[in-house]
Amino acid sequence: MQDIHELTIICGIDKSGAKEDVEKIRICPGEIIGIVGPTGSGKSSLICDIEQLSQGDTPTRRKILINGKAPGRDIRTDPRKKRIAQLSQNMHFLADMTVEEFLRMHAKSRNRNSDTVEQVIDIANTLTGESIQPGHQLTILSGGQSRALMAADIAVISDSPIVLIDEIENAGIKKQEALKLLAAEGKIVLVVTHDPVLALMTKRRIVMRNGGVRQVITTSTGEMNVCSELVKLDNYMMSLRDTIRQGGLVEQAVVV
Amino acid sequence: MKLVVVAGTPGSGKTSVLMHTIRSLKQAGMSPAVVKIDCLWTDDDKRFERLDIPVRIGLSRDMCPDHFAIYNTDEMLTWAREQDAGVLINETAGLCLRCAPYPDGCLAVCVIDVTTGPNTPLKVGPLLTTADVVVATKGDIVSQAEREVFRERVNEANPGCRIIEANGLSGQGASELAEVISETPDVGQELNLRHNAPLAICTLCTGETRVAKKHHMGVLRHIDGFTEYRGE
Ligand SMILES: Nc1nc2c(ncn2[C@@H]2O[C@H](COP(=O)(O)OP(=O)(O)OP(=O)(O)O)[C@@H](O)[C@H]2O)c(=O)[nH]1
Ligand SMILES: Nc1ncnc2c1ncn2[C@@H]1O[C@H](COP(=O)(O)OP(=O)(O)OP(=O)(O)O)[C@@H](O)[C@H]1O
Ligand SMILES: [Mg+2]
Ligand SMILES: [Mg+2]
Ligand SMILES: [Zn+2]
Ligand SMILES: [Zn+2]
Protein backbone atom coordinates (compact mmCIF):
# COMPACT_ATOMS: atom_id res chain seq x y z
CA MET A 1 0.00 0.00 0.00
CA GLN A 2 1.33 3.42 -0.93
CA ASP A 3 2.51 5.85 1.72
CA ILE A 4 0.68 9.12 2.09
CA HIS A 5 3.06 12.06 1.99
CA GLU A 6 0.62 14.81 1.11
CA LEU A 7 -3.07 15.62 1.34
CA THR A 8 -4.26 18.44 -0.91
CA ILE A 9 -7.54 20.33 -0.72
CA ILE A 10 -8.38 22.06 -4.00
CA CYS A 11 -10.95 24.61 -2.92
CA GLY A 12 -14.29 25.12 -4.67
CA ILE A 13 -17.23 27.42 -4.01
CA ASP A 14 -18.97 28.80 -0.92
CA LYS A 15 -22.69 28.87 -0.14
CA SER A 16 -23.24 31.86 -2.44
CA GLY A 17 -21.51 30.07 -5.30
CA ALA A 18 -18.47 32.39 -5.19
CA LYS A 19 -14.94 30.99 -5.34
CA GLU A 20 -13.36 30.32 -1.97
CA ASP A 21 -10.67 32.82 -0.92
CA VAL A 22 -7.96 30.16 -0.77
CA GLU A 23 -7.14 28.08 -3.83
CA LYS A 24 -5.28 25.13 -2.44
CA ILE A 25 -4.20 23.74 0.96
CA ARG A 26 -1.38 21.23 1.24
CA ILE A 27 -0.98 19.16 4.41
CA CYS A 28 1.89 16.84 5.32
CA PRO A 29 2.13 13.91 7.77
CA GLY A 30 2.74 15.03 11.36
CA GLU A 31 0.68 18.19 10.96
CA ILE A 32 -2.33 18.98 13.10
CA ILE A 33 -4.63 21.46 11.38
CA GLY A 34 -7.53 23.24 13.05
CA ILE A 35 -10.80 24.18 11.35
CA VAL A 36 -12.59 27.12 12.96
CA GLY A 37 -15.55 29.33 12.12
CA PRO A 38 -19.06 30.26 13.29
CA THR A 39 -21.79 27.60 13.53
CA GLY A 40 -23.10 26.69 10.10
CA SER A 41 -20.01 28.07 8.32
CA GLY A 42 -19.20 24.75 6.65
CA LYS A 43 -16.60 23.17 8.95
CA SER A 44 -18.26 19.76 9.00
CA SER A 45 -18.82 19.93 5.26
CA LEU A 46 -15.09 20.43 4.71
CA ILE A 47 -14.33 17.38 6.87
CA CYS A 48 -16.91 15.34 4.97
CA ASP A 49 -15.38 16.34 1.64
CA ILE A 50 -12.08 14.91 2.84
CA GLU A 51 -13.70 11.75 4.20
CA GLN A 52 -15.44 11.10 0.89
CA LEU A 53 -12.34 12.12 -1.09
CA SER A 54 -14.72 14.34 -3.08
CA GLN A 55 -13.92 14.99 -6.72
CA GLY A 56 -16.02 18.08 -7.39
CA ASP A 57 -19.18 16.02 -6.83
CA THR A 58 -20.47 17.72 -3.66
CA PRO A 59 -22.15 21.15 -3.29
CA THR A 60 -18.76 22.67 -2.36
CA ARG A 61 -17.16 21.43 -5.63
CA ARG A 62 -13.92 20.73 -3.74
CA LYS A 63 -11.40 18.17 -4.93
CA ILE A 64 -9.25 16.16 -2.57
CA LEU A 65 -5.93 14.76 -3.79
CA ILE A 66 -3.63 12.24 -2.19
CA ASN A 67 0.05 12.58 -3.07
CA GLY A 68 -0.97 15.13 -5.69
CA LYS A 69 -3.32 12.78 -7.54
CA ALA A 70 -7.05 12.02 -7.55
CA PRO A 71 -7.42 8.69 -5.71
CA GLY A 72 -8.94 5.73 -7.56
CA ARG A 73 -12.45 4.46 -6.91
CA ASP A 74 -11.51 1.52 -4.68
CA ILE A 75 -9.48 3.79 -2.40
CA ARG A 76 -12.44 6.17 -2.23
CA THR A 77 -14.99 3.54 -1.28
CA ASP A 78 -13.50 0.34 0.14
CA PRO A 79 -12.98 0.72 3.92
CA ARG A 80 -10.24 -1.91 3.70
CA LYS A 81 -8.24 0.41 1.45
CA LYS A 82 -9.44 3.75 2.68
CA ARG A 83 -6.79 5.44 4.79
CA ILE A 84 -9.07 7.93 6.52
CA ALA A 85 -10.70 7.81 9.94
CA GLN A 86 -13.46 10.25 10.86
CA LEU A 87 -14.97 11.17 14.19
CA SER A 88 -18.13 12.85 13.00
CA GLN A 89 -20.36 15.24 14.91
CA ASN A 90 -22.95 12.49 15.54
CA MET A 91 -23.32 11.76 19.23
CA HIS A 92 -25.32 8.53 19.12
CA PHE A 93 -25.28 5.09 17.60
CA LEU A 94 -28.45 3.86 15.90
CA ALA A 95 -27.36 0.24 15.33
CA ASP A 96 -29.29 -2.27 17.40
CA MET A 97 -26.33 -4.45 18.44
CA THR A 98 -24.16 -5.01 21.46
CA VAL A 99 -20.93 -3.06 21.78
CA GLU A 100 -18.90 -6.24 21.28
CA GLU A 101 -20.85 -7.45 18.23
CA PHE A 102 -20.56 -4.03 16.63
CA LEU A 103 -16.83 -3.68 17.20
CA ARG A 104 -16.25 -7.20 15.84
CA MET A 105 -18.14 -6.34 12.65
CA HIS A 106 -16.25 -3.09 12.34
CA ALA A 107 -12.90 -4.82 12.82
CA LYS A 108 -13.89 -7.25 10.06
CA SER A 109 -14.88 -4.44 7.70
CA ARG A 110 -11.46 -2.85 8.25
CA ASN A 111 -9.58 -6.18 8.01
CA ARG A 112 -8.49 -5.97 11.65
CA ASN A 113 -8.08 -8.74 14.14
CA SER A 114 -11.09 -9.10 16.47
CA ASP A 115 -8.93 -9.09 19.62
CA THR A 116 -8.75 -5.33 19.11
CA VAL A 117 -12.30 -5.23 20.51
CA GLU A 118 -11.29 -5.47 24.15
CA GLN A 119 -8.60 -2.84 23.63
CA VAL A 120 -11.15 -0.38 22.18
CA ILE A 121 -13.45 -0.77 25.17
CA ASP A 122 -10.55 -0.35 27.63
CA ILE A 123 -9.40 2.85 25.94
CA ALA A 124 -12.94 4.22 25.71
CA ASN A 125 -13.30 3.68 29.45
CA THR A 126 -10.28 5.88 30.14
CA LEU A 127 -12.07 8.79 28.41
CA THR A 128 -15.50 8.50 29.94
CA GLY A 129 -17.00 8.46 33.41
CA GLU A 130 -19.26 5.44 33.79
CA SER A 131 -17.71 2.40 32.13
CA ILE A 132 -18.90 0.75 28.93
CA GLN A 133 -19.38 -3.05 29.00
CA PRO A 134 -18.99 -5.37 25.98
CA GLY A 135 -22.54 -6.65 26.48
CA HIS A 136 -24.18 -3.19 26.53
CA GLN A 137 -26.58 -2.37 23.70
CA LEU A 138 -25.01 0.41 21.63
CA THR A 139 -28.23 2.39 21.63
CA ILE A 140 -28.34 2.75 25.43
CA LEU A 141 -24.92 4.44 25.63
CA SER A 142 -25.02 8.10 26.59
CA GLY A 143 -23.74 10.82 24.27
CA GLY A 144 -20.41 10.99 26.11
CA GLN A 145 -20.01 7.21 26.22
CA SER A 146 -20.81 6.89 22.51
CA ARG A 147 -18.33 9.62 21.73
CA ALA A 148 -15.60 7.94 23.82
CA LEU A 149 -16.27 4.62 22.09
CA MET A 150 -16.16 6.28 18.65
CA ALA A 151 -12.83 7.91 19.54
CA ALA A 152 -11.30 4.66 20.83
CA ASP A 153 -12.58 2.81 17.76
CA ILE A 154 -10.79 5.33 15.56
CA ALA A 155 -7.55 5.01 17.51
CA VAL A 156 -7.50 1.21 17.23
CA ILE A 157 -9.76 -0.30 14.55
CA SER A 158 -9.80 2.59 12.07
CA ASP A 159 -6.18 3.52 12.83
CA SER A 160 -5.37 5.47 9.63
CA PRO A 161 -2.77 7.94 8.40
CA ILE A 162 -5.45 10.63 7.96
CA VAL A 163 -7.65 11.46 10.95
CA LEU A 164 -10.63 13.85 10.90
CA ILE A 165 -12.14 15.01 14.17
CA ASP A 166 -15.38 16.98 14.41
CA GLU A 167 -15.81 18.71 17.78
CA ILE A 168 -14.32 16.41 20.37
CA GLU A 169 -14.86 19.00 23.13
CA ASN A 170 -18.62 19.06 23.58
CA ALA A 171 -19.32 15.55 24.87
CA GLY A 172 -17.95 15.92 28.38
CA ILE A 173 -15.09 13.52 27.68
CA LYS A 174 -11.45 14.35 28.37
CA LYS A 175 -10.72 16.37 25.24
CA GLN A 176 -6.95 16.79 25.54
CA GLU A 177 -6.48 13.05 26.22
CA ALA A 178 -8.81 12.22 23.33
CA LEU A 179 -6.87 14.46 20.96
CA LYS A 180 -3.58 12.93 22.07
CA LEU A 181 -5.00 9.46 21.51
CA LEU A 182 -6.23 10.26 18.00
CA ALA A 183 -3.37 12.45 16.82
CA ALA A 184 -0.61 9.85 16.95
CA GLU A 185 2.78 10.84 15.56
CA GLY A 186 3.22 11.03 11.81
CA LYS A 187 -0.49 11.37 11.03
CA ILE A 188 -2.33 14.06 9.15
CA VAL A 189 -4.93 15.36 11.59
CA LEU A 190 -7.73 17.87 11.02
CA VAL A 191 -9.70 19.05 14.04
CA VAL A 192 -12.92 21.05 13.83
CA THR A 193 -13.20 23.01 17.04
CA HIS A 194 -14.86 25.92 18.83
CA ASP A 195 -12.40 25.49 21.72
CA PRO A 196 -9.52 28.02 21.95
CA VAL A 197 -7.20 25.51 23.65
CA LEU A 198 -7.62 22.90 20.93
CA ALA A 199 -7.51 25.55 18.18
CA LEU A 200 -4.18 26.92 19.45
CA MET A 201 -2.72 23.43 19.92
CA THR A 202 -2.72 23.05 16.12
CA LYS A 203 0.06 24.15 13.81
CA ARG A 204 -2.21 25.97 11.35
CA ARG A 205 -5.90 26.72 11.31
CA ILE A 206 -8.37 27.01 8.47
CA VAL A 207 -10.91 29.81 8.94
CA MET A 208 -14.38 29.18 7.46
CA ARG A 209 -17.25 31.55 6.69
CA ASN A 210 -20.41 31.19 4.58
CA GLY A 211 -19.41 27.67 3.50
CA GLY A 212 -16.00 28.70 2.17
CA VAL A 213 -12.36 28.73 3.31
CA ARG A 214 -11.40 32.37 4.07
CA GLN A 215 -7.79 32.05 5.21
CA VAL A 216 -5.19 29.74 6.71
CA ILE A 217 -3.43 31.09 9.81
CA THR A 218 -0.15 29.71 11.11
CA THR A 219 -0.02 29.61 14.91
CA SER A 220 2.57 32.22 16.00
CA THR A 221 5.04 31.93 18.90
CA GLY A 222 2.94 34.49 20.78
CA GLU A 223 -0.15 32.32 20.32
CA MET A 224 1.76 29.24 21.47
CA ASN A 225 2.58 31.08 24.69
CA VAL A 226 -1.08 32.01 25.12
CA CYS A 227 -1.88 28.36 24.47
CA SER A 228 0.33 27.05 27.28
CA GLU A 229 -1.28 29.53 29.70
CA LEU A 230 -4.72 28.39 28.48
CA VAL A 231 -3.80 24.75 28.99
CA LYS A 232 -3.06 25.46 32.65
CA LEU A 233 -6.38 27.27 32.99
CA ASP A 234 -8.17 24.48 31.18
CA ASN A 235 -6.64 21.78 33.37
CA TYR A 236 -7.74 23.76 36.40
CA MET A 237 -11.28 23.96 34.96
CA MET A 238 -11.22 20.22 34.31
CA SER A 239 -10.17 19.45 37.87
CA LEU A 240 -13.01 21.62 39.18
CA ARG A 241 -15.38 19.90 36.80
CA ASP A 242 -14.28 16.50 38.09
CA THR A 243 -14.73 17.53 41.71
CA ILE A 244 -18.22 18.87 41.03
CA ARG A 245 -19.14 15.75 39.03
CA GLN A 246 -18.06 13.52 41.93
CA GLY A 247 -20.35 15.44 44.24
CA GLY A 248 -17.48 17.35 45.88
CA LEU A 249 -17.42 20.98 47.03
CA VAL A 250 -15.24 23.66 45.47
CA GLU A 251 -15.52 26.40 48.11
CA GLN A 252 -11.72 26.50 48.41
CA ALA A 253 -11.21 27.04 44.70
CA VAL A 254 -9.26 30.13 43.71
CA VAL A 255 -10.58 32.29 40.93
CA VAL A 256 -7.67 32.85 38.56
CA MET B 1 -33.24 1.84 -24.54
CA LYS B 2 -31.67 1.22 -21.14
CA LEU B 3 -33.85 0.08 -18.27
CA VAL B 4 -33.06 0.98 -14.67
CA VAL B 5 -35.25 -0.45 -11.91
CA VAL B 6 -34.89 1.34 -8.60
CA ALA B 7 -36.41 -0.43 -5.64
CA GLY B 8 -36.28 0.15 -1.90
CA THR B 9 -38.45 0.51 1.16
CA PRO B 10 -40.69 3.62 1.47
CA GLY B 11 -38.76 6.75 2.40
CA SER B 12 -35.35 5.19 1.81
CA GLY B 13 -34.37 8.10 -0.44
CA LYS B 14 -35.04 6.74 -3.94
CA THR B 15 -36.52 9.93 -5.37
CA SER B 16 -33.99 12.20 -3.64
CA VAL B 17 -31.02 10.26 -5.05
CA LEU B 18 -32.67 9.95 -8.47
CA MET B 19 -33.28 13.71 -8.72
CA HIS B 20 -29.52 14.31 -8.51
CA THR B 21 -28.75 11.32 -10.73
CA ILE B 22 -31.13 12.50 -13.46
CA ARG B 23 -29.45 15.92 -13.46
CA SER B 24 -26.10 14.20 -14.03
CA LEU B 25 -27.57 12.02 -16.80
CA LYS B 26 -28.99 15.08 -18.56
CA GLN B 27 -25.66 16.86 -18.29
CA ALA B 28 -24.04 13.84 -19.92
CA GLY B 29 -26.45 14.24 -22.83
CA MET B 30 -28.74 11.32 -22.07
CA SER B 31 -32.52 11.62 -22.10
CA PRO B 32 -34.14 9.88 -19.14
CA ALA B 33 -37.84 9.20 -18.58
CA VAL B 34 -39.30 8.10 -15.24
CA VAL B 35 -42.19 5.88 -14.26
CA LYS B 36 -43.10 5.75 -10.58
CA ILE B 37 -45.11 2.74 -9.42
CA ASP B 38 -46.79 3.09 -6.06
CA CYS B 39 -49.72 1.50 -4.23
CA LEU B 40 -52.18 4.17 -3.22
CA TRP B 41 -50.71 7.63 -3.54
CA THR B 42 -47.53 9.40 -4.57
CA ASP B 43 -46.34 12.93 -5.28
CA ASP B 44 -43.05 11.78 -6.75
CA ASP B 45 -44.36 12.71 -10.22
CA LYS B 46 -44.47 16.38 -9.20
CA ARG B 47 -40.90 16.19 -7.94
CA PHE B 48 -39.62 14.53 -11.10
CA GLU B 49 -41.53 16.94 -13.33
CA ARG B 50 -39.43 19.77 -11.95
CA LEU B 51 -36.54 18.22 -13.88
CA ASP B 52 -38.38 18.77 -17.14
CA ILE B 53 -38.40 15.12 -18.23
CA PRO B 54 -41.25 12.75 -19.25
CA VAL B 55 -42.87 11.34 -16.08
CA ARG B 56 -45.65 8.84 -15.58
CA ILE B 57 -47.18 7.21 -12.52
CA GLY B 58 -48.93 3.89 -12.04
CA LEU B 59 -50.91 2.93 -8.94
CA SER B 60 -51.28 -0.77 -8.21
CA ARG B 61 -54.10 -0.25 -5.66
CA ASP B 62 -55.03 -3.65 -4.19
CA MET B 63 -52.30 -5.52 -6.05
CA CYS B 64 -48.69 -6.16 -5.15
CA PRO B 65 -46.90 -3.12 -6.61
CA ASP B 66 -44.01 -5.31 -7.72
CA HIS B 67 -46.29 -7.68 -9.66
CA PHE B 68 -47.97 -4.66 -11.16
CA ALA B 69 -44.62 -3.17 -12.18
CA ILE B 70 -43.41 -6.45 -13.67
CA TYR B 71 -46.26 -7.12 -16.07
CA ASN B 72 -46.43 -3.45 -17.04
CA THR B 73 -42.74 -3.25 -17.96
CA ASP B 74 -43.46 -3.69 -21.68
CA GLU B 75 -45.98 -0.87 -21.66
CA MET B 76 -43.58 1.38 -19.78
CA LEU B 77 -40.81 0.70 -22.31
CA THR B 78 -43.17 1.41 -25.21
CA TRP B 79 -44.23 4.67 -23.59
CA ALA B 80 -40.60 5.68 -22.96
CA ARG B 81 -39.70 4.96 -26.61
CA GLU B 82 -42.56 7.23 -27.68
CA GLN B 83 -41.01 9.96 -25.53
CA ASP B 84 -37.68 9.47 -27.36
CA ALA B 85 -36.04 8.57 -24.07
CA GLY B 86 -32.70 6.80 -23.94
CA VAL B 87 -33.11 5.50 -20.39
CA LEU B 88 -36.26 4.40 -18.63
CA ILE B 89 -35.99 4.70 -14.86
CA ASN B 90 -38.64 2.81 -12.94
CA GLU B 91 -38.97 3.77 -9.28
CA THR B 92 -40.99 1.08 -7.52
CA ALA B 93 -42.77 1.12 -4.18
CA GLY B 94 -40.86 -1.85 -2.79
CA LEU B 95 -43.26 -2.75 -0.02
CA CYS B 96 -43.32 -6.48 -0.53
CA LEU B 97 -39.97 -7.85 0.55
CA ARG B 98 -40.66 -11.25 -1.03
CA CYS B 99 -40.74 -9.81 -4.51
CA ALA B 100 -37.89 -8.32 -6.48
CA PRO B 101 -39.10 -6.47 -9.54
CA TYR B 102 -35.84 -6.76 -11.49
CA PRO B 103 -35.81 -8.34 -14.94
CA ASP B 104 -32.52 -9.58 -16.37
CA GLY B 105 -30.99 -7.04 -18.73
CA CYS B 106 -31.94 -4.07 -16.55
CA LEU B 107 -29.73 -2.27 -14.09
CA ALA B 108 -31.15 -3.33 -10.74
CA VAL B 109 -30.68 -0.69 -8.05
CA CYS B 110 -31.66 -1.25 -4.42
CA VAL B 111 -31.82 1.89 -2.27
CA ILE B 112 -31.43 1.23 1.44
CA ASP B 113 -31.40 3.61 4.40
CA VAL B 114 -28.36 3.19 6.68
CA THR B 115 -30.23 4.51 9.72
CA THR B 116 -32.47 1.41 9.75
CA GLY B 117 -29.52 -0.44 11.26
CA PRO B 118 -27.01 -3.08 10.15
CA ASN B 119 -29.50 -5.96 10.41
CA THR B 120 -31.67 -4.51 7.63
CA PRO B 121 -29.56 -5.91 4.75
CA LEU B 122 -30.34 -9.39 6.11
CA LYS B 123 -34.08 -8.67 6.16
CA VAL B 124 -34.82 -7.23 2.75
CA GLY B 125 -34.24 -10.44 0.79
CA PRO B 126 -34.21 -10.63 -3.03
CA LEU B 127 -34.73 -6.87 -3.32
CA LEU B 128 -31.13 -6.55 -2.13
CA THR B 129 -29.57 -9.92 -2.92
CA THR B 130 -30.41 -9.80 -6.64
CA ALA B 131 -29.49 -6.12 -7.15
CA ASP B 132 -26.49 -4.99 -9.22
CA VAL B 133 -26.05 -1.76 -7.29
CA VAL B 134 -26.88 -1.10 -3.66
CA VAL B 135 -27.23 2.59 -2.82
CA ALA B 136 -26.82 3.24 0.91
CA THR B 137 -28.45 6.56 1.89
CA LYS B 138 -28.53 8.82 4.95
CA GLY B 139 -24.96 8.04 6.00
CA ASP B 140 -24.79 11.66 7.17
CA ILE B 141 -26.83 10.70 10.23
CA VAL B 142 -24.55 7.94 11.55
CA SER B 143 -20.86 7.56 12.40
CA GLN B 144 -18.24 6.35 9.96
CA ALA B 145 -17.97 3.08 11.90
CA GLU B 146 -21.70 2.45 11.50
CA ARG B 147 -21.52 3.13 7.78
CA GLU B 148 -18.68 0.65 7.46
CA VAL B 149 -20.47 -2.03 9.48
CA PHE B 150 -23.57 -1.51 7.33
CA ARG B 151 -21.50 -1.87 4.21
CA GLU B 152 -20.01 -5.10 5.51
CA ARG B 153 -23.49 -6.50 6.05
CA VAL B 154 -24.53 -5.55 2.51
CA ASN B 155 -21.41 -7.31 1.24
CA GLU B 156 -22.35 -10.43 3.16
CA ALA B 157 -25.90 -10.42 1.80
CA ASN B 158 -24.91 -9.66 -1.81
CA PRO B 159 -21.18 -10.30 -2.31
CA GLY B 160 -20.98 -9.22 -5.96
CA CYS B 161 -22.84 -5.92 -5.80
CA ARG B 162 -21.45 -2.44 -6.20
CA ILE B 163 -22.13 -0.34 -3.14
CA ILE B 164 -22.59 3.41 -3.56
CA GLU B 165 -22.78 5.59 -0.48
CA ALA B 166 -25.17 8.35 -1.41
CA ASN B 167 -26.77 11.35 0.20
CA GLY B 168 -30.17 12.36 -1.12
CA LEU B 169 -29.78 15.87 0.28
CA SER B 170 -26.30 16.82 -0.92
CA GLY B 171 -26.23 14.63 -4.03
CA GLN B 172 -23.15 12.68 -2.94
CA GLY B 173 -22.91 9.42 -4.92
CA ALA B 174 -25.36 10.53 -7.62
CA SER B 175 -22.70 11.10 -10.27
CA GLU B 176 -21.31 7.63 -9.60
CA LEU B 177 -24.78 6.12 -10.06
CA ALA B 178 -25.22 8.12 -13.28
CA GLU B 179 -21.91 6.73 -14.52
CA VAL B 180 -23.01 3.14 -13.85
CA ILE B 181 -26.30 3.83 -15.65
CA SER B 182 -24.54 5.21 -18.70
CA GLU B 183 -22.39 2.05 -18.88
CA THR B 184 -25.46 -0.22 -18.78
CA PRO B 185 -26.27 -2.00 -22.08
CA ASP B 186 -29.69 -1.63 -23.73
CA VAL B 187 -32.46 -4.06 -22.71
CA GLY B 188 -33.21 -7.01 -25.00
CA GLN B 189 -36.57 -8.19 -26.35
CA GLU B 190 -37.40 -11.09 -24.04
CA LEU B 191 -37.20 -10.05 -20.40
CA ASN B 192 -37.15 -12.61 -17.61
CA LEU B 193 -37.37 -12.03 -13.88
CA ARG B 194 -34.22 -12.61 -11.85
CA HIS B 195 -36.15 -13.93 -8.91
CA ASN B 196 -39.40 -15.92 -8.87
CA ALA B 197 -42.39 -13.98 -7.63
CA PRO B 198 -43.70 -15.67 -4.48
CA LEU B 199 -46.58 -18.14 -4.27
CA ALA B 200 -49.93 -16.43 -4.58
CA ILE B 201 -52.33 -19.30 -4.32
CA CYS B 202 -53.95 -18.89 -0.94
CA THR B 203 -57.63 -18.10 -0.52
CA LEU B 204 -56.85 -14.60 0.76
CA CYS B 205 -55.55 -13.81 -2.70
CA THR B 206 -58.99 -14.54 -4.10
CA GLY B 207 -60.97 -12.47 -1.65
CA GLU B 208 -61.57 -14.62 1.46
CA THR B 209 -61.78 -12.26 4.46
CA ARG B 210 -62.48 -14.63 7.36
CA VAL B 211 -59.39 -14.99 9.50
CA ALA B 212 -59.48 -18.53 10.95
CA LYS B 213 -57.31 -21.12 9.18
CA LYS B 214 -60.25 -23.52 8.71
CA HIS B 215 -61.64 -21.21 6.03
CA HIS B 216 -58.50 -21.37 3.95
CA MET B 217 -57.32 -23.74 1.24
CA GLY B 218 -54.28 -24.12 -0.95
CA VAL B 219 -50.71 -23.91 0.32
CA LEU B 220 -50.81 -23.02 4.02
CA ARG B 221 -47.75 -22.47 6.16
CA HIS B 222 -48.15 -22.78 9.93
CA ILE B 223 -46.37 -20.46 12.30
CA ASP B 224 -43.92 -23.27 13.16
CA GLY B 225 -42.95 -23.49 9.49
CA PHE B 226 -44.95 -26.66 8.69
CA THR B 227 -46.40 -26.34 5.19
CA GLU B 228 -49.48 -28.26 4.04
CA TYR B 229 -51.71 -28.35 1.03
CA ARG B 230 -55.44 -28.32 1.68
CA GLY B 231 -57.88 -28.85 -1.15
CA GLU B 232 -58.45 -31.07 -4.13
N1 LIG C 1 -30.47 13.00 6.21
C1 LIG C 1 -30.77 12.50 5.02
N2 LIG C 1 -32.05 12.52 4.60
C2 LIG C 1 -32.34 12.01 3.39
C3 LIG C 1 -31.33 11.44 2.56
N3 LIG C 1 -31.94 10.99 1.42
C4 LIG C 1 -33.25 11.28 1.54
N4 LIG C 1 -33.51 11.89 2.71
C5 LIG C 1 -34.84 12.32 3.22
O1 LIG C 1 -35.64 11.17 3.38
C6 LIG C 1 -37.01 11.44 3.06
C7 LIG C 1 -37.56 10.45 2.02
O2 LIG C 1 -36.87 10.62 0.80
P1 LIG C 1 -37.49 10.24 -0.62
O3 LIG C 1 -36.45 10.49 -1.65
O4 LIG C 1 -38.83 10.85 -0.82
O5 LIG C 1 -37.67 8.67 -0.44
P2 LIG C 1 -38.34 7.60 -1.43
O6 LIG C 1 -37.60 6.33 -1.25
O7 LIG C 1 -38.39 8.14 -2.81
O8 LIG C 1 -39.81 7.50 -0.80
P3 LIG C 1 -41.13 6.85 -1.47
O9 LIG C 1 -41.11 7.15 -2.92
O10 LIG C 1 -42.25 7.53 -0.75
O11 LIG C 1 -41.06 5.38 -1.16
C8 LIG C 1 -37.02 12.89 2.58
O12 LIG C 1 -37.45 13.68 3.66
C9 LIG C 1 -35.58 13.18 2.22
O13 LIG C 1 -35.26 14.54 2.36
C10 LIG C 1 -29.96 11.44 3.04
O14 LIG C 1 -29.02 10.96 2.39
N5 LIG C 1 -29.75 11.98 4.27
N1 LIG D 1 -19.71 25.49 0.06
C1 LIG D 1 -20.99 25.18 0.36
N2 LIG D 1 -21.95 25.24 -0.58
C2 LIG D 1 -23.24 24.94 -0.27
N3 LIG D 1 -23.66 24.55 0.95
C3 LIG D 1 -22.75 24.48 1.93
C4 LIG D 1 -21.37 24.78 1.69
N4 LIG D 1 -20.69 24.61 2.85
C5 LIG D 1 -21.61 24.23 3.78
N5 LIG D 1 -22.85 24.14 3.22
C6 LIG D 1 -24.11 23.77 3.93
O1 LIG D 1 -24.25 24.60 5.07
C7 LIG D 1 -24.81 23.90 6.17
C8 LIG D 1 -23.97 24.05 7.42
O2 LIG D 1 -22.67 23.50 7.21
P1 LIG D 1 -21.87 22.64 8.29
O3 LIG D 1 -22.76 21.66 8.97
O4 LIG D 1 -20.67 22.10 7.62
O5 LIG D 1 -21.47 23.78 9.34
P2 LIG D 1 -20.53 23.71 10.64
O6 LIG D 1 -19.54 24.80 10.49
O7 LIG D 1 -20.00 22.35 10.84
O8 LIG D 1 -21.55 24.09 11.79
P3 LIG D 1 -21.53 23.68 13.37
O9 LIG D 1 -20.50 24.52 14.04
O10 LIG D 1 -22.92 24.02 13.79
O11 LIG D 1 -21.25 22.21 13.43
C9 LIG D 1 -24.95 22.45 5.70
O12 LIG D 1 -26.29 22.20 5.34
C10 LIG D 1 -24.03 22.35 4.49
O13 LIG D 1 -24.50 21.39 3.55
MG1 LIG E 1 -20.36 20.90 12.26
MG1 LIG F 1 -40.04 8.32 -4.06
ZN1 LIG G 1 -45.13 -9.11 -3.76
ZN1 LIG H 1 -52.39 -14.96 -0.76
Side-chain angles (χ1 to χ4, degrees), chain A residues 43-44 89 166-167 192:
Chain A
K43 303 182 291 299
S44 299
Q89 219 169 349
D166 203 341
E167 298 195 21
V192 172

Side-chain angles (χ1 to χ4, degrees), chain B residues 32 58 66 217:
Chain B
D66 294 321
M217 306 229 289

Side-chain angles (χ1 to χ4, degrees), chain B residues 84-107:
Chain B
D84 285 326
V87 198
L88 169 63
I89 300 174
N90 170 17
E91 179 185 326
T92 76
L95 289 172
C96 164
L97 299 179
R98 305 161 309 161
C99 289
Y102 313 128
D104 52 7
C106 81
L107 181 75

Side-chain angles (χ1 to χ4, degrees), chain A residues 108-144:
Chain A
K108 184 169 172 243
S109 80
R110 281 258 177 179
N111 250 0
R112 291 288 151 85
N113 203 311
S114 60
D115 43 79
T116 48
V117 168
E118 217 173 301
Q119 201 188 342
V120 173
I121 298 172
D122 287 345
I123 294 177
N125 284 334
T126 65
L127 298 175
T128 180
E130 305 264 306
S131 73
I132 301 165
Q133 301 298 325
H136 278 162
Q137 281 303 120
L138 272 180
T139 45
I140 64 149
L141 300 184
S142 71

Side-chain angles (χ1 to χ4, degrees), chain B residues 98 199-206 219:
Chain B
R98 305 161 309 161
L199 299 173
I201 48 172
C202 77
T203 27
L204 291 166
C205 300
T206 56
V219 178

